[in-house]
């Protein structure tokens, strides 16, 4: 069974960097559009940004200039590069992706299990 897996989270000091990855375990044809979300303790889930199949991106105002979403279609992997991290970036980060299992097949939406990012002051 295919799963969407995030990795790369951890504990970092303020001002540091992390790179999160989002990849599908199992056989797929492609990852289409992907959104990165986060949920901080006691807060609602927030959209961090997204990337289309062609690589067009958008980022939330709160992370613009610090976070960058990119993708490697050959590896079917999407990345969230996070620089200049702040304590308020502490959250569980999730990716949400539309997966295609075969050429011309329908898109199916999947969520990853999340990866914890903790930024210490």
């Amino acid at each position: 069974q295919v799963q969407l897996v995030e990795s790369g989270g951890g504990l970092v000091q303020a001002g540091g960097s992390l790179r999160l990855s989002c990849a599908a375990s199992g056989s797929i044809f492609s990852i289409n559009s992907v959104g990165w979300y986060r949920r901080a303790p006691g807060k609602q889930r927030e959209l961090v940004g997204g990337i289309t199949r062609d690589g067009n991106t958008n980022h939330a105002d709160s992370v613009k200039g610090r976070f960058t979403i990119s993708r490697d279609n050959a590896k079917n992997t999407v990345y969230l590069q996070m620089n200049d991290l702040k304590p308020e970036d502490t959250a569980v980060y999730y990716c949400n992706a539309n997966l295609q299992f075969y050429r011309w097949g329908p898109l199916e939406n999947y969520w990853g299990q999340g990866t914890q990012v903790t930024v210490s002051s």
Side-chain angles (χ1 to χ4, degrees), residues 9-88:
L11 173 63
V12 64
Q13 288 188 329
S17 298
L18 286 173
R19 188 177 78 159
L20 306 184
S21 299
C22 173
S25 66
S27 178
I28 65 168
F29 178 72
S30 70
I31 294 180
N32 201 284
S33 58
V34 175
W36 281 100
Y37 294 80
R38 66 186 181 185
R39 176 172 284 162
K43 294 187 177 180
Q44 290 191 335
R45 187 176 62 198
E46 172 189 23
L47 175 65
V48 175
I51 187 167
T52 68
R53 181 73 173 89
D54 295 331
N56 295 310
T57 60
N58 64 83
H59 299 80
D61 288 343
S62 58
V63 305
K64 275 182 182 176
R66 300 188 299 121
F67 291 11
T68 303
I69 299 172
S70 63
R71 64 188 300 151
D72 184 337
N73 288 338
K75 295 182 179 180
N76 276 330
T77 301
V78 173
Y79 304 98
L80 176 63
Q81 177 67 43
M82 305 185 295
N83 298 327
D84 190 24
L85 282 160
K86 303 176 181 180
E88 53 263 42

Side-chain angles (χ1 to χ4, degrees), residues 4-6 94-96 110-114:
L4 203 57
V5 181
E6 301 98 337
Y94 302 88
C95 64
N96 174 257
Y110 279 72
W111 283 93
Q113 84 290 349

